[in-house]
Amino acid sequence: MGSDPRLVKHPIGVFDSGIGGLSVLRALRAELPFEDFVYVADSGHAPYGERDDAHVIERSRAITRHLLTQHHIKALVIACNTATAVAIHLLRAEHPTLPIIGVEPALKPAVAHSQTRRIGVMTTRGTLGSAKFRTLVESLAGQADFVCQPCDGLADAIEHEDTTKIIALCAYYTGAMGQFGIKNGQIDTLVLGCTHYPFASEHLTKLVGPDVQLIDNGEPVARQTRRRLQTLAPTGTPGQCVLLTTGEREAVQRAAQRWLALDCPVELLLV
Ligand code: DGL
Protein backbone atom coordinates (compact mmCIF):
# COMPACT_ATOMS: atom_id res chain seq x y z
CA MET A 1 0.00 0.00 0.00
CA GLY A 2 1.44 3.42 -0.96
CA SER A 3 1.81 6.15 1.65
CA ASP A 4 -0.70 8.99 1.85
CA PRO A 5 0.75 11.67 -0.48
CA ARG A 6 -0.47 14.41 1.90
CA LEU A 7 1.82 13.06 4.61
CA VAL A 8 4.92 12.66 2.45
CA LYS A 9 7.47 15.43 2.83
CA HIS A 10 8.60 16.25 -0.68
CA PRO A 11 12.07 17.75 -1.07
CA ILE A 12 13.17 20.74 -3.09
CA GLY A 13 15.56 19.91 -5.93
CA VAL A 14 18.62 22.10 -6.46
CA PHE A 15 21.27 21.72 -9.14
CA ASP A 16 24.39 23.33 -10.51
CA SER A 17 27.28 22.28 -12.72
CA GLY A 18 29.22 21.53 -9.53
CA ILE A 19 29.80 22.88 -6.04
CA GLY A 20 28.87 26.50 -6.90
CA GLY A 21 25.18 25.99 -6.19
CA LEU A 22 26.10 25.13 -2.61
CA SER A 23 26.29 28.92 -2.12
CA VAL A 24 22.58 29.00 -3.00
CA LEU A 25 21.80 25.88 -0.94
CA ARG A 26 23.37 27.65 2.06
CA ALA A 27 20.90 30.52 1.68
CA LEU A 28 18.00 28.12 1.06
CA ARG A 29 18.72 26.16 4.23
CA ALA A 30 18.87 29.37 6.26
CA GLU A 31 15.57 30.61 4.80
CA LEU A 32 13.76 27.26 4.84
CA PRO A 33 15.26 25.26 7.74
CA PHE A 34 12.51 22.63 7.83
CA GLU A 35 12.59 21.76 4.14
CA ASP A 36 14.39 18.73 2.73
CA PHE A 37 16.74 19.31 -0.20
CA VAL A 38 18.24 17.09 -2.89
CA TYR A 39 21.30 18.76 -4.40
CA VAL A 40 22.89 17.64 -7.66
CA ALA A 41 26.45 18.73 -8.45
CA ASP A 42 26.88 17.89 -12.13
CA SER A 43 30.67 17.98 -11.78
CA GLY A 44 31.10 15.15 -14.27
CA HIS A 45 29.77 17.44 -17.01
CA ALA A 46 31.21 20.79 -15.88
CA PRO A 47 31.97 23.53 -16.57
CA TYR A 48 28.69 24.67 -18.10
CA GLY A 49 29.84 28.22 -18.72
CA GLU A 50 32.30 27.35 -21.45
CA ARG A 51 30.17 24.69 -23.20
CA ASP A 52 27.55 25.17 -25.88
CA ASP A 53 23.88 25.72 -25.03
CA ALA A 54 22.84 22.27 -26.27
CA HIS A 55 25.05 20.59 -23.65
CA VAL A 56 23.67 22.70 -20.79
CA ILE A 57 20.08 22.17 -21.96
CA GLU A 58 20.53 18.41 -22.24
CA ARG A 59 22.10 18.20 -18.75
CA SER A 60 19.41 20.43 -17.21
CA ARG A 61 16.68 18.24 -18.71
CA ALA A 62 18.28 14.98 -17.55
CA ILE A 63 18.79 16.23 -13.99
CA THR A 64 15.28 17.66 -13.74
CA ARG A 65 13.81 14.37 -14.97
CA HIS A 66 15.84 12.45 -12.39
CA LEU A 67 14.82 14.75 -9.54
CA LEU A 68 11.16 14.47 -10.50
CA THR A 69 10.97 10.73 -11.08
CA GLN A 70 13.34 9.52 -8.34
CA HIS A 71 12.93 12.17 -5.64
CA HIS A 72 9.44 13.56 -6.33
CA ILE A 73 10.57 17.14 -5.80
CA LYS A 74 7.95 19.81 -5.15
CA ALA A 75 10.04 22.66 -6.57
CA LEU A 76 13.28 23.09 -8.49
CA VAL A 77 15.97 25.70 -7.90
CA ILE A 78 18.40 26.09 -10.78
CA ALA A 79 21.36 27.22 -8.69
CA CYS A 80 23.37 28.12 -11.76
CA ASN A 81 23.30 31.37 -13.72
CA THR A 82 24.40 29.66 -16.92
CA ALA A 83 21.73 26.93 -16.85
CA THR A 84 19.09 29.49 -15.88
CA ALA A 85 20.07 31.70 -18.81
CA VAL A 86 19.81 28.99 -21.44
CA ALA A 87 17.38 26.39 -20.08
CA ILE A 88 14.85 27.80 -17.60
CA HIS A 89 12.25 28.73 -20.24
CA LEU A 90 12.41 25.20 -21.71
CA LEU A 91 12.16 23.48 -18.32
CA ARG A 92 9.19 25.66 -17.37
CA ALA A 93 7.42 24.82 -20.63
CA GLU A 94 8.11 21.10 -20.15
CA HIS A 95 7.05 21.02 -16.47
CA PRO A 96 4.29 23.61 -16.19
CA THR A 97 3.08 22.55 -12.73
CA LEU A 98 6.52 22.49 -11.11
CA PRO A 99 7.63 25.76 -9.48
CA ILE A 100 11.04 26.47 -11.04
CA ILE A 101 13.20 29.22 -9.58
CA GLY A 102 16.34 30.40 -11.36
CA VAL A 103 19.28 32.60 -10.49
CA GLU A 104 20.50 35.55 -12.53
CA PRO A 105 23.34 38.01 -11.92
CA ALA A 106 22.27 40.49 -9.23
CA LEU A 107 22.33 43.58 -11.42
CA LYS A 108 19.22 45.17 -9.92
CA PRO A 109 20.45 44.99 -6.30
CA ALA A 110 23.80 46.32 -7.55
CA VAL A 111 22.11 49.35 -9.14
CA ALA A 112 20.31 50.00 -5.85
CA HIS A 113 23.61 49.88 -3.96
CA SER A 114 26.06 51.65 -6.25
CA GLN A 115 26.91 55.32 -5.62
CA THR A 116 29.45 55.68 -8.43
CA ARG A 117 27.04 54.06 -10.91
CA ARG A 118 29.89 51.91 -12.17
CA ILE A 119 29.29 48.22 -11.57
CA GLY A 120 31.56 45.27 -12.26
CA VAL A 121 29.94 42.00 -13.35
CA MET A 122 31.83 38.71 -13.28
CA THR A 123 30.08 35.83 -15.07
CA THR A 124 30.75 32.80 -17.20
CA ARG A 125 31.04 33.24 -20.95
CA GLY A 126 27.74 31.33 -21.36
CA THR A 127 25.77 33.71 -19.14
CA LEU A 128 27.35 36.77 -20.72
CA GLY A 129 26.46 35.66 -24.25
CA SER A 130 22.86 34.74 -23.46
CA ALA A 131 19.80 36.63 -24.68
CA LYS A 132 18.46 36.60 -21.11
CA PHE A 133 21.49 38.49 -19.80
CA ARG A 134 21.33 40.99 -22.66
CA THR A 135 17.68 41.68 -21.87
CA LEU A 136 18.54 42.17 -18.19
CA VAL A 137 21.28 44.69 -19.02
CA GLU A 138 19.01 46.51 -21.48
CA SER A 139 16.24 46.75 -18.87
CA LEU A 140 18.64 48.79 -16.71
CA ALA A 141 19.97 51.03 -19.47
CA GLY A 142 20.90 54.47 -18.27
CA GLN A 143 20.88 53.48 -14.60
CA ALA A 144 24.55 52.47 -14.39
CA ASP A 145 27.58 51.46 -16.45
CA PHE A 146 28.17 47.73 -16.34
CA VAL A 147 31.71 46.47 -16.83
CA CYS A 148 31.08 42.83 -17.78
CA GLN A 149 33.90 40.34 -17.53
CA PRO A 150 33.74 36.71 -18.72
CA CYS A 151 35.83 34.69 -16.28
CA ASP A 152 36.98 31.59 -18.16
CA GLY A 153 38.51 28.97 -15.90
CA LEU A 154 37.49 30.54 -12.58
CA ALA A 155 34.54 28.23 -11.79
CA ASP A 156 36.71 25.28 -12.73
CA ALA A 157 39.55 26.43 -10.45
CA ILE A 158 37.07 26.83 -7.57
CA GLU A 159 35.63 23.39 -8.35
CA HIS A 160 39.11 21.89 -8.08
CA GLU A 161 40.11 23.92 -4.99
CA ASP A 162 43.14 25.23 -6.88
CA THR A 163 43.91 28.24 -4.69
CA THR A 164 46.92 29.45 -6.69
CA LYS A 165 44.86 29.52 -9.86
CA ILE A 166 41.84 31.10 -8.13
CA ILE A 167 43.99 33.99 -6.88
CA ALA A 168 45.76 34.42 -10.23
CA LEU A 169 42.50 34.45 -12.21
CA CYS A 170 40.74 36.79 -9.77
CA ALA A 171 43.72 39.18 -10.00
CA TYR A 172 43.74 39.00 -13.78
CA TYR A 173 39.99 39.54 -14.23
CA THR A 174 39.58 42.30 -11.66
CA GLY A 175 42.67 43.97 -13.14
CA ALA A 176 41.05 43.86 -16.58
CA MET A 177 37.89 45.56 -15.28
CA GLY A 178 39.58 48.79 -14.23
CA GLN A 179 39.77 50.80 -11.04
CA PHE A 180 37.82 49.72 -7.96
CA GLY A 181 36.89 52.09 -5.15
CA ILE A 182 34.28 54.56 -4.05
CA LYS A 183 35.53 57.64 -5.91
CA ASN A 184 33.79 58.93 -9.03
CA GLY A 185 34.54 56.78 -12.05
CA GLN A 186 35.55 53.77 -9.94
CA ILE A 187 33.72 50.45 -9.65
CA ASP A 188 32.16 50.40 -6.18
CA THR A 189 29.99 47.27 -6.60
CA LEU A 190 31.00 43.87 -7.93
CA VAL A 191 28.35 41.36 -9.00
CA LEU A 192 29.31 37.71 -8.58
CA GLY A 193 27.27 36.41 -11.51
CA CYS A 194 28.20 32.75 -11.16
CA THR A 195 27.26 30.73 -8.10
CA HIS A 196 30.83 29.45 -7.75
CA TYR A 197 32.29 32.93 -7.24
CA PRO A 198 31.05 33.60 -3.67
CA PHE A 199 33.56 30.91 -2.69
CA ALA A 200 36.32 33.23 -3.95
CA SER A 201 34.98 36.28 -2.04
CA GLU A 202 37.86 36.40 0.38
CA HIS A 203 40.40 36.67 -2.46
CA LEU A 204 38.27 39.13 -4.40
CA THR A 205 37.86 41.44 -1.41
CA LYS A 206 41.64 41.49 -0.92
CA LEU A 207 42.04 42.52 -4.56
CA VAL A 208 39.31 45.17 -4.89
CA GLY A 209 39.46 46.56 -1.37
CA PRO A 210 37.07 46.47 1.58
CA ASP A 211 34.97 49.42 0.36
CA VAL A 212 33.74 47.56 -2.70
CA GLN A 213 30.51 45.68 -2.13
CA LEU A 214 30.34 42.13 -3.50
CA ILE A 215 26.81 41.05 -4.39
CA ASP A 216 25.37 37.65 -5.19
CA ASN A 217 21.81 36.41 -5.46
CA GLY A 218 21.70 33.53 -2.95
CA GLU A 219 19.47 35.20 -0.38
CA PRO A 220 16.96 36.76 -2.83
CA VAL A 221 16.65 33.38 -4.57
CA ALA A 222 15.95 31.69 -1.24
CA ARG A 223 13.23 34.25 -0.42
CA GLN A 224 11.75 33.84 -3.89
CA THR A 225 11.71 30.05 -3.40
CA ARG A 226 9.74 30.44 -0.16
CA ARG A 227 7.21 32.62 -1.97
CA ARG A 228 6.81 30.09 -4.78
CA LEU A 229 6.28 27.00 -2.59
CA GLN A 230 2.72 25.74 -2.59
CA THR A 231 3.22 23.81 0.66
CA LEU A 232 5.77 24.33 3.40
CA ALA A 233 7.26 21.46 5.41
CA PRO A 234 5.89 21.24 8.95
CA THR A 235 8.03 23.05 11.50
CA GLY A 236 9.80 21.11 14.24
CA THR A 237 12.08 18.60 12.56
CA PRO A 238 15.10 20.17 10.79
CA GLY A 239 15.25 19.47 7.08
CA GLN A 240 17.58 16.84 5.64
CA CYS A 241 19.91 17.15 2.66
CA VAL A 242 20.80 14.53 0.10
CA LEU A 243 23.85 15.34 -2.00
CA LEU A 244 24.41 13.72 -5.39
CA THR A 245 27.16 14.19 -7.93
CA THR A 246 28.07 12.95 -11.38
CA GLY A 247 31.73 13.65 -10.57
CA GLU A 248 34.08 13.15 -7.66
CA ARG A 249 32.13 12.49 -4.45
CA GLU A 250 34.91 13.50 -2.04
CA ALA A 251 35.21 16.98 -3.59
CA VAL A 252 31.52 17.70 -3.04
CA GLN A 253 31.67 16.29 0.48
CA ARG A 254 34.64 18.53 1.33
CA ALA A 255 32.92 21.61 -0.12
CA ALA A 256 29.68 20.90 1.78
CA GLN A 257 31.64 20.53 5.00
CA ARG A 258 33.74 23.62 4.41
CA TRP A 259 31.07 26.04 3.22
CA LEU A 260 27.86 24.73 4.86
CA ALA A 261 29.18 22.76 7.83
CA LEU A 262 27.13 19.99 6.29
CA ASP A 263 28.39 16.55 7.07
CA CYS A 264 26.64 14.00 4.92
CA PRO A 265 27.68 11.34 2.46
CA VAL A 266 27.57 12.14 -1.23
CA GLU A 267 26.05 9.61 -3.62
CA LEU A 268 27.20 9.02 -7.17
CA LEU A 269 24.57 9.86 -9.77
CA LEU A 270 24.59 8.22 -13.16
CA VAL A 271 22.38 10.28 -15.47
N1 DGL B 1 27.95 27.94 -11.24
C1 DGL B 1 27.54 28.14 -12.57
C2 DGL B 1 26.89 29.50 -12.82
O1 DGL B 1 26.35 30.09 -11.92
C3 DGL B 1 28.41 27.75 -13.72
C4 DGL B 1 29.82 27.39 -13.56
C5 DGL B 1 30.31 26.63 -14.76
O2 DGL B 1 30.10 25.41 -14.76
O3 DGL B 1 30.84 27.23 -15.69
O4 DGL B 1 26.86 29.97 -13.94
Side-chain angles (χ1 to χ4, degrees), residues 6 89 112 140 179 202:
R6 288 166 305 179
H89 58 293
L140 298 166
Q179 286 270 314
E202 182 196 336

PDB file of all heavy atoms in Angstrom, residues 6 89 112 140 179 202:
ATOM      1  N   ARG A   6      -0.392  13.170   1.104  1.00  0.00           N
ATOM      2  CA  ARG A   6      -0.474  14.411   1.902  1.00  0.00           C
ATOM      3  C   ARG A   6       0.488  14.388   3.079  1.00  0.00           C
ATOM      4  O   ARG A   6       0.806  15.401   3.655  1.00  0.00           O
ATOM      5  CB  ARG A   6      -1.908  14.603   2.415  1.00  0.00           C
ATOM      6  CG  ARG A   6      -2.893  14.988   1.322  1.00  0.00           C
ATOM      7  CD  ARG A   6      -4.297  14.827   1.801  1.00  0.00           C
ATOM      8  NE  ARG A   6      -4.524  13.471   2.286  1.00  0.00           N
ATOM      9  CZ  ARG A   6      -5.657  13.032   2.791  1.00  0.00           C
ATOM     10  NH1 ARG A   6      -6.672  13.833   2.914  1.00  0.00           N
ATOM     11  NH2 ARG A   6      -5.787  11.783   3.192  1.00  0.00           N
ATOM     12  N   HIS A  89      13.512  28.591 -19.498  1.00  0.00           N
ATOM     13  CA  HIS A  89      12.246  28.730 -20.242  1.00  0.00           C
ATOM     14  C   HIS A  89      11.800  27.370 -20.787  1.00  0.00           C
ATOM     15  O   HIS A  89      10.613  27.064 -20.801  1.00  0.00           O
ATOM     16  CB  HIS A  89      12.373  29.773 -21.352  1.00  0.00           C
ATOM     17  CG  HIS A  89      13.456  29.482 -22.342  1.00  0.00           C
ATOM     18  ND1 HIS A  89      14.795  29.500 -22.017  1.00  0.00           N
ATOM     19  CD2 HIS A  89      13.384  29.128 -23.645  1.00  0.00           C
ATOM     20  CE1 HIS A  89      15.500  29.188 -23.091  1.00  0.00           C
ATOM     21  NE2 HIS A  89      14.674  28.946 -24.092  1.00  0.00           N
ATOM     22  N   ALA A 112      20.838  49.367  -7.072  1.00  0.00           N
ATOM     23  CA  ALA A 112      20.311  49.999  -5.855  1.00  0.00           C
ATOM     24  C   ALA A 112      21.443  50.377  -4.899  1.00  0.00           C
ATOM     25  O   ALA A 112      21.347  51.356  -4.165  1.00  0.00           O
ATOM     26  CB  ALA A 112      19.332  49.044  -5.167  1.00  0.00           C
ATOM     27  N   LEU A 140      18.073  47.851 -17.681  1.00  0.00           N
ATOM     28  CA  LEU A 140      18.641  48.794 -16.711  1.00  0.00           C
ATOM     29  C   LEU A 140      19.437  49.909 -17.402  1.00  0.00           C
ATOM     30  O   LEU A 140      20.215  50.616 -16.755  1.00  0.00           O
ATOM     31  CB  LEU A 140      19.543  48.022 -15.735  1.00  0.00           C
ATOM     32  CG  LEU A 140      18.806  46.961 -14.900  1.00  0.00           C
ATOM     33  CD1 LEU A 140      19.776  46.013 -14.224  1.00  0.00           C
ATOM     34  CD2 LEU A 140      17.900  47.621 -13.867  1.00  0.00           C
ATOM     35  N   GLN A 179      39.521  50.336 -12.404  1.00  0.00           N
ATOM     36  CA  GLN A 179      39.773  50.803 -11.037  1.00  0.00           C
ATOM     37  C   GLN A 179      38.588  50.519 -10.113  1.00  0.00           C
ATOM     38  O   GLN A 179      37.446  50.855 -10.447  1.00  0.00           O
ATOM     39  CB  GLN A 179      39.953  52.322 -11.073  1.00  0.00           C
ATOM     40  CG  GLN A 179      41.253  52.780 -11.653  1.00  0.00           C
ATOM     41  CD  GLN A 179      42.313  52.901 -10.571  1.00  0.00           C
ATOM     42  OE1 GLN A 179      42.041  53.460  -9.511  1.00  0.00           O
ATOM     43  NE2 GLN A 179      43.481  52.361 -10.819  1.00  0.00           N
ATOM     44  N   GLU A 202      36.747  35.953  -0.466  1.00  0.00           N
ATOM     45  CA  GLU A 202      37.858  36.395   0.380  1.00  0.00           C
ATOM     46  C   GLU A 202      39.002  36.940  -0.498  1.00  0.00           C
ATOM     47  O   GLU A 202      39.559  38.004  -0.215  1.00  0.00           O
ATOM     48  CB  GLU A 202      38.302  35.155   1.168  1.00  0.00           C
ATOM     49  CG  GLU A 202      39.394  35.342   2.149  1.00  0.00           C
ATOM     50  CD  GLU A 202      39.992  33.987   2.544  1.00  0.00           C
ATOM     51  OE1 GLU A 202      39.308  32.938   2.432  1.00  0.00           O
ATOM     52  OE2 GLU A 202      41.182  33.995   2.938  1.00  0.00           O
TER      53      GLU A 202
END
